[in-house]
Amino acid sequence: MCGIVAYLGKKNALEFLIEGLKILEYRGYDSAGIAVLNENSSNYNLEKSAGKLVNLINLVENKDIKGHLGIGHTRWATHGVANNANAHPHISNDNKIILVHNGIINNYLELKRKLKEEHNINFYSDTDSEVIANLISVYFKECASIKTAVIRAKEEIKGSYALCVISPEDPDKIILTSKEAPLIIGLGEDDELYCASDSSALLKYCKQMIRLKDYEVAELKKGGKFEILDANNNLVKQPNIQILDHDPLHLDKQGYKHYLLKEIYEQAAILRKLFETHFNKDLNITFPNLNTKIFEGINKILIIACGSAYYAGLAGKTFIESLANIQVDIEFASEFITKKNLLVDDKTLLIAVSQSGETADTLSAIKLALKKNVRLIAINNRPESTLASLSKDSCIFTQAGVEVSVAATKSFLAQMFCFFCLALYLAEIKSPEKKEALKKIKLQLHLQPQIIEQILARAEVYKQKILPFAEKKAFIFLGRGINYITALEGALKLKEITYIQATAYPAGEMKHGPIATLDHDVPVISILTNGDVYDKTVHNVMEAKTRGAPNIAILNDGNDELDKEIDVILRVPVNYEEESEFYDLLSPFVGVVPFQLIAYYLAEYMGKDIDQPRNLAKSVTVE
Ligand code: F6R
C-alpha cells in the first residue's frame, strides 16, 4: 500500500527519496512522486507519474533537482484512479503547502465542500489528500507556522493518516503527524533526519528510529533537531528511541531471480532459528517476549487475522485443539469488526496474527477487543510495528526477517511454527502427564527444516511437472483436516501470483456442489500425504477423476499405490520418524512448500510480476 519517505540533511534529498521509494516498491503501488524544496529560495520541484517507479525516475533523471529537504510517495489508489493528478505529493491552491498522505480521510467530502464554499478553493484531483493540503494552507495563512496549521487541521480531520507536510515558505522544516497509520522518524548520521512509513526504507541509513504515536505531531528541523508534541500538544520530553536491527540482506535478492523464490528458500533456516529460540536443550518451551501469566484463568481463545495469516491461524486452531484439548475460535479481522456483539471479556485470550503488524483490519479488531479487556498475544514479524507496540510484553516474533515479495511465504510457515510451539506449551500446562508423549512430537518438529530442504532440492522436478498446466483457466485444491489449510494457502498463492482462478475445498465438500464445475480443463490438486484422512481423501480424488478432471497430488515418498490413478505426482519426503496419534499435524509444514514452488514456476512461465502482483499490497493499511 501507499509508502512515504522524507529527508532533511546535508545531502541531495532526491537520492534518498528515490532509493527509499525503490525499497517501498514491495508494498504494492500504482503511481509515485516526489517534492524537493530548493535551497535559499521558495522554489521547489514537484514531479509525479502514474505507473511504476521507473516512470518517475525517467522524469527526474534529466532535471536539475537540488535541495536538502524533500518528500516522496508511492500511492495505492483508493479515492480516484491511478493517474498523474491523483498521485502524491499534493499541493494547495496557493502553492504553499505540499504533502504526502497515507490513509483515508472519512470526512473529506464535507471538508472539500467547506473549502470550496468558504475559501474558493479548486480541486484538481479526486483524492482526500488534496483536501488536507488545502485545509492546512487555510490555517497556515492565519498562523504562519506549518506546525500550528497541521495541529489545527488534525483536530478537524476524521479517519486515518500519516502526513508529511512541507512548505516552500519555510524550507527548513518537515512536519509529521499520524493516526492509525505508521510513520517513523529515522535518526541518521551527521545530523540527518529521515522519515518513512515502513522501517525497511531506513535500514541502510539509520540505526535508530522513533515511531510516532496516534495524534502526535513532529517537527523536523535543520541540524538534526526535532521536537515531538503528544496528542495534547505537550512536548514529549523523552521520545522512545528504538534500535533498527533488521538484516539489510533481506532487501537483496542475493542472486535469486525474485524475492519470492529467495524467501521460499529461507524457510528452513527460519524454522531452525525459531526452534533454537523456543526450545532449550531439554526441549522445554520458552517464549522470550511473552509473560506466560497471561494464560492463567483464560476461558476462551480467539484468533484474528487476515489472508495467509488467517490460514496460519486456522492451523493454530487445529494444533491447539488437537494437542492441548482447548477449543479455539477464529475470525477474519474484517468480519470481527462488523459484529454487533463481541463475545469476549477479560478471560479471553486474543491471538492476533500479522506479518506486517500494520494490517488495518487486524489493528481495528484488536482495538475493539481491547476495549472489552481481552488479553492480547501477537504473533508478529515486525518488532517495530504498531502491533508490537500494542502487545508489548506478549509477542511471539516470527523472526522471518523482512518479507519483500507481496505474497506471504516464509512468514506463513513461521506463523504456523509459532502456533505449534504455543499449542505444545498449552498442552504441557494442561496435561503435565503428557510431557513425555509431547517430547516425541517436539523431536519431529525439529525434523521439519531438513525435510523442507529436501523438498526444495526437488524444485526443478515440480517445475517440469506443473508447466504443462500453465494454460488452465482454473484449479481446484482439495485437502481434508489439517490438509485443507494447506489447500487454502496453496490456492491463495496460485491466485495471487498467476491470477489463475483457484479455489480450495475440504475434500469431502466437493461432492456437495463444486463437483459440478469439474471437466478436463479444471485440474484438481490434492494433498494425499500419510495420515488419518488419507483414505477418505483418496475417495474424493477418485470422484473428481471420474468426472474427467486432470489430477495432481502431493504424496509421500514410498507410497506407490496410486501411481496408476494420479496423472501427476508431486512427491514429498515422509516428515516424521515415528508414527503417533498426532504426526499428521505436521503435514502443512511440508505440503505448502511444493504449492509455493508450483505457483512460482507457473507465474514465472506466464511472465507475471511475481514480487508485486497486480492490485495487491504488502501491508494493507486501509479497512
Ligand atoms: C497472502 C498475503 C496476504 C496477507 C494479509 C495479512 O500471500 O500476503 O493475504 O497474509 O494481507 O497481512 P499481515 O500478515 O501483514 O497482517
Side-chain angles (χ1 to χ4, degrees):
M1 291 232 139
C2 303
I4 287 178
V5 289
Y7 175 84
L8 173 52
K10 293 176 187 153
K11 298 192 192 122
N12 196 6
L14 187 65
E15 204 180 296
F16 166 70
L17 298 182
I18 296 295
E19 283 310 306
L21 291 181
K22 273 188 196 162
I23 293 167
L24 296 189
E25 275 195 289
Y26 82 96
R27 299 171 61 89
Y29 69 101
D30 36 45
S31 60
I34 54 104
V36 174
L37 300 185
N38 304 153
E39 226 104 309
N40 310 322
S41 79
S42 55
N43 290 339
Y44 59 86
N45 292 87
L46 198 164
E47 308 289 346
K48 41 195 194 173
S49 180
K52 288 286 176 189
L53 188 58
V54 65
N55 300 348
L56 177 71
I57 295 173
N58 291 338
L59 200 64
V60 296
E61 215 163 48
N62 301 320
K63 295 197 172 159
D64 188 29
I65 299 178
K66 286 212 174 73
H68 297 172
L69 183 154
I71 56 178
H73 193 261
T74 43
R75 172 173 186 259
W76 189 83
T78 54
H79 293 77
V81 296
N83 60 18
N84 282 5
N86 290 332
H88 297 216
H90 285 283
I91 185 159
S92 58
N93 273 203
D94 60 5
N95 295 336
K96 291 193 175 158
I97 292 293
I98 306 175
L99 61 70
V100 288
H101 165 223
N102 286 357
I104 293 185
I105 305 300
N106 300 330
N107 59 337
Y108 83 106
L109 287 175
E110 182 192 324
L111 293 170
K112 195 170 180 173
R113 189 175 26 81
K114 211 167 119 187
L115 288 166
K116 251 187 199 160
E117 285 170 10
E118 295 175 15
H119 299 276
N120 270 331
I121 285 172
N122 296 316
F123 292 93
Y124 303 96
S125 77
D126 306 314
T127 66
D128 48 353
S129 315
E130 191 190 9
V131 176
I132 307 308
N134 283 292
L135 184 68
I136 296 172
S137 84
V138 166
Y139 293 130
F140 187 46
K141 247 184 227 128
E142 291 171 15
C143 62
S145 147
I146 330 174
K147 184 172 75 183
T148 313
V150 169
I151 291 173
R152 287 182 62 182
K154 88 169 172 164
E155 320 273 295
E156 272 192 68
I157 54 182
K158 297 195 178 100
S160 61
Y161 50 84
L163 287 169
C164 225
V165 187
I166 57 175
S167 170
E169 299 278 298
D170 191 355
D172 293 338
K173 285 184 190 131
I174 305 179
I175 309 296
L176 316 172
T177 185
S178 78
K179 185 195 156 220
E180 291 165 7
L183 201 55
I184 294 162
I185 303 171
L187 310 178
E189 287 170 357
D190 206 13
D191 293 339
E192 286 177 309
L193 292 172
Y194 293 80
C195 170
S197 53
D198 178 331
S199 61
S200 55
L202 304 177
L203 286 180
K204 270 207 271 181
Y205 306 88
C206 309
K207 296 215 161 42
Q208 295 182 314
M209 57 165 249
I210 300 165
R211 163 180 289 281
L212 275 199
K213 298 196 183 113
D214 278 359
Y215 301 107
E216 282 186 340
V217 174
E219 183 175 47
L220 311 189
K221 295 185 266 195
K222 256 190 167 170
K225 297 193 190 92
F226 64 91
E227 212 173 75
I228 300 175
L229 302 182
D230 66 15
N232 300 316
N233 305 324
N234 297 317
L235 186 71
V236 177
K237 293 203 180 105
Q238 283 180 320
N240 179 16
I241 299 183
Q242 292 171 265
I243 304 296
L244 255 169
D245 61 358
H246 285 307
D247 183 349
L249 279 183
H250 290 298
L251 301 177
D252 180 355
K253 286 198 198 120
Q254 293 179 286
Y256 288 92
K257 188 169 173 194
H258 295 96
Y259 280 109
L260 189 95
L261 194 59
K262 170 182 169 258
E263 287 161 3
I264 292 172
Y265 274 84
E266 283 170 356
Q267 296 181 117
I270 293 165
L271 297 201
R272 277 201 184 96
K273 186 160 63 174
L274 284 171
F275 199 91
E276 274 168 29
T277 304
H278 293 293
F279 293 90
N280 68 12
K281 63 175 181 6
D282 301 320
L283 294 184
N284 292 322
I285 303 171
T286 56
F287 295 101
N289 303 296
L290 181 66
N291 184 345
T292 49
K293 281 206 167 74
I294 200 164
F295 298 117
E296 286 170 13
I298 53 168
N299 64 9
K300 175 176 179 149
I301 298 181
L302 170 66
I303 299 171
I304 53 162
C306 308
S308 285
Y310 175 85
Y311 296 155
L314 280 177
K317 170 181 160 73
T318 313
F319 300 153
I320 296 171
E321 289 184 343
S322 311
L323 295 172
N325 206 13
I326 302 172
Q327 197 201 319
V328 179
D329 291 340
I330 178 161
E331 300 268 5
F332 288 111
S334 55
E335 286 297 304
F336 181 75
I337 57 185
T338 66
K339 285 189 179 293
K340 302 243 179 315
N341 192 3
L342 301 179
L343 297 173
V344 292
D345 59 27
D346 60 352
K347 295 210 166 49
T348 304
L349 178 69
L350 181 76
I351 308 178
V353 196
S354 174
Q355 183 286 127
S356 62
E358 302 295 353
T359 301
D361 289 322
T362 307
L363 294 178
S364 298
I366 293 169
K367 285 176 189 165
L368 272 184
L370 284 175
K371 284 191 188 146
K372 295 260 186 176
N373 301 319
V374 296
R375 307 172 191 191
L376 171 66
I377 290 183
I379 296 185
N380 173 12
N381 196 39
R382 302 292 290 264
E384 75 296 344
S385 63
T386 307
L387 178 55
S389 57
L390 281 174
S391 52
K392 276 188 196 73
D393 52 1
S394 45
C395 287
I396 303 179
F397 288 115
T398 44
Q399 299 183 63
V402 178
E403 190 173 61
V404 176
S405 197
V406 165
T409 51
K410 59 179 182 174
S411 61
F412 174 75
L413 245 70
Q415 287 159 353
M416 283 203 304
F417 191 97
C418 292
F419 266 119
F420 211 96
C421 296
L422 193 58
L424 287 166
Y425 181 83
L426 293 173
E428 282 182 354
I429 307 182
K430 201 158 171 233
S431 319
E433 73 284 358
K434 283 197 192 155
K435 203 161 176 184
E436 273 314 298
L438 292 169
K439 195 167 182 175
K440 288 190 183 147
I441 303 178
K442 292 176 188 173
L443 289 169
Q444 302 199 5
L445 183 65
H446 186 245
L447 278 182
Q448 302 313 305
Q450 76 193 57
I451 307 279
I452 290 172
E453 278 161 353
Q454 291 168 27
I455 293 175
L456 292 171
R458 302 177 186 192
E460 189 57 34
V461 179
Y462 300 147
K463 177 179 174 177
Q464 296 313 328
K465 290 191 172 192
I466 201 66
L467 288 189
F469 295 89
E471 305 302 323
K472 300 292 179 196
K473 296 278 173 296
F475 282 78
I476 286 182
F477 285 68
L478 295 182
R480 271 181 187 252
I482 190 84
N483 294 333
Y484 169 50
I485 296 158
T486 310
L488 283 165
E489 177 60 8
L492 184 62
K493 288 296 88 81
L494 192 71
K495 269 188 279 222
E496 285 179 299
I497 63 171
T498 66
Y499 319 148
I500 297 173
Q501 193 51 253
T503 316
Y505 295 105
E509 272 297 298
M510 195 189 55
K511 58 188 176 297
H512 296 288
I515 200 163
T517 64
L518 293 185
D519 64 29
H520 63 277
D521 234 6
V522 182
V524 170
I525 307 190
S526 43
I527 303 123
L528 292 174
T529 45
N530 302 349
D532 294 344
V533 294
Y534 169 79
D535 290 334
K536 283 207 166 89
T537 316
V538 171
H539 295 318
N540 305 131
V541 171
M542 292 309 136
E543 286 155 13
K545 182 181 160 75
T546 36
R547 269 79 189 176
N551 59 42
I552 304 166
I554 295 189
L555 272 108
N556 281 122
D557 289 345
N559 176 0
D560 51 13
E561 66 178 21
L562 296 176
D563 283 5
K564 293 212 172 71
E565 307 292 344
I566 306 287
D567 302 325
V568 173
I569 296 180
L570 307 174
R571 292 211 178 270
V572 293
V574 175
N575 66 333
Y576 52 88
E577 270 171 351
E578 205 179 326
E579 290 201 9
S580 86
E581 196 188 340
F582 297 117
Y583 67 96
D584 53 355
L585 282 184
L586 292 164
S587 79
F589 288 103
V590 293
V592 158
V593 183
F595 285 166
Q596 295 170 338
L597 288 167
I598 63 175
Y600 173 78
Y601 286 120
L602 283 174
E604 189 205 21
Y605 179 80
M606 296 162 81
K608 301 295 184 203
D609 190 352
I610 293 180
D611 286 330
Q612 292 163 34
R614 71 181 182 199
N615 305 336
L616 295 183
K618 185 64 189 165
S619 66
V620 183
T621 49
V622 292
E623 280 179 15

